[in-house]
Structure formats: structure tokens, C-alpha cells
Amino acid sequence: MINTLVLFMLFLSRQALAYTKNEHIRKNLLHNEIIEMDHQLFDYAFNQCDASLFRKIIADDIEFYDDRYGLNISKGENVKDLIGRQTRFQKVTRKLNFCSVEKLGDFGALQIGEHTFLSNDIPHLTGKFIHVWERKAKSWKLKRVISYEHKAFQDNLD
């Protein structure tokens, strides 16, 4: 009887270890996918003002909440702003400081992090963000954005 119990416990611990390992692999895969989407959204679409890529990544019913301006749901206006940035004297870019990624059931993923915006390669503003990414077939769409705790870069040196 004790041998059977020991074998059963060994079997359960092995199954639990395999499940934990698979969950870890899935979480790393999800994290890498969202980091890649973040890279496409900001390093290409935003930093290089690629409006067609921006349109592809952003959901049609995007909601953007900002602690300074409130709610913005106009994807068309965001694309116009992006295109308008190409003609400005100052080059505005964004750098990801850190982020975490969590699964949102079968819907998608939650990305929480902090980034710095630079003007002509000089740090200007930092802020925190929450992105809700929706998985659509084999692609990702940015569905909701909450942008908050914006501070001038100098305020962060204290």
C-alpha cells in the first residue's frame, strides 16, 4: 500500500512539474510575441512614422485613455498625427524601459510597463502604460491603451 502511494505521489509530482514547465514555456512565448508587437508598434510605426503599419496594428475600435487628455477613440486622428510628425522639426521617439506581460484568457494579453519619450534623442518625458492586446487569428491588435503618470524626465532623476 505504501509503495502504491509513493508511486502515485511521484507520478503526480512529475505531472505537476511538466505542467509548470509547459506554462513557463507558454508564458515566455506570449511575452516574446507581445515584445515583438511593441517593437513593431513603436520602433517602426511610431519612431519611423510608418502609418500603414500603425493602421495594421491598431484595432479599428481602439480606445486610448490618457491622464492628461482623457479618452481618444479616433484611429483616423491618431494616424493623421503620426503622419504629421514626419514634417516636424523635432524627432520624437519612444524607448521601452520595462514591461511585464500577462495572458488574458483566450482574448489576448495585458502589457504593463514604462517608457520614455525622447525629442531629438534627448529624454523628455516618461510615462506608464497598460496595453490590452487582442489576438485575431494569428495576428495581434492593440485594443485598449491606458497611459498615465506622465512626468518630465528631469522629475524622474530625484
Side-chain angles (χ1 to χ4, degrees), residues 25-41 101 108-109 111 133-140:
I25 290 169
R26 279 193 287 271
K27 188 168 181 159
N28 282 342
L29 180 61
L30 177 65
H31 186 269
N32 291 341
E33 287 181 36
I34 296 302
I35 291 299
E36 175 58 28
M37 292 309 301
D38 183 272
H39 177 67
Q40 288 183 34
L41 177 65
V101 176
Q111 179 187 17
W133 291 91
E134 180 180 18
R135 186 185 301 269
K136 290 278 198 173
K138 293 192 182 252
S139 64
W140 290 96

Side-chain angles (χ1 to χ4, degrees), residues 46-48 85 91-95 116-121:
F46 183 81
N47 290 350
Q48 296 178 23
R85 286 186 336 107
K91 178 185 172 196
V92 177
T93 55
R94 179 267 199 172
K95 178 181 134 287
T116 299
F117 291 92
L118 301 95
S119 294
N120 296 326
D121 297 323

Side-chain angles (χ1 to χ4, degrees), residues 5-100:
L5 184 58
V6 169
L7 286 174
F8 182 69
M9 290 181 72
L10 284 173
F11 174 77
L12 286 179
S13 65
R14 186 174 182 197
Q15 293 299 101
L17 184 60
Y19 177 78
T20 303
K21 185 177 180 181
N22 287 339
E23 281 299 307
H24 183 69
I25 290 169
R26 279 193 287 271
K27 188 168 181 159
N28 282 342
L29 180 61
L30 177 65
H31 186 269
N32 291 341
E33 287 181 36
I34 296 302
I35 291 299
E36 175 58 28
M37 292 309 301
D38 183 272
H39 177 67
Q40 288 183 34
L41 177 65
F42 284 103
D43 293 345
Y44 295 114
F46 183 81
N47 290 350
Q48 296 178 23
C49 300
D50 184 339
S52 64
L53 181 58
F54 189 75
R55 278 187 196 97
K56 182 180 172 186
I57 294 172
I58 301 295
D60 289 333
D61 61 345
I62 183 84
E63 288 183 2
F64 184 96
Y65 300 90
D66 186 283
D67 62 348
R68 300 162 300 171
Y69 310 114
L71 172 64
N72 177 354
I73 55 173
S74 174
K75 181 178 178 180
E77 288 302 314
N78 289 334
V79 171
K80 280 189 217 171
D81 288 345
L82 185 70
I83 293 167
R85 286 186 336 107
Q86 291 176 316
T87 60
R88 290 188 195 152
F89 178 70
Q90 286 186 326
K91 178 185 172 196
V92 177
T93 55
R94 179 267 199 172
K95 178 181 134 287
L96 179 63
N97 298 337
F98 64 85
C99 76
S100 64

Side-chain angles (χ1 to χ4, degrees), residues 104-117:
L104 287 177
D106 292 335
F107 180 81
L110 180 71
Q111 179 187 17
I112 301 172
E114 181 182 280
H115 46 204
T116 299
F117 291 92

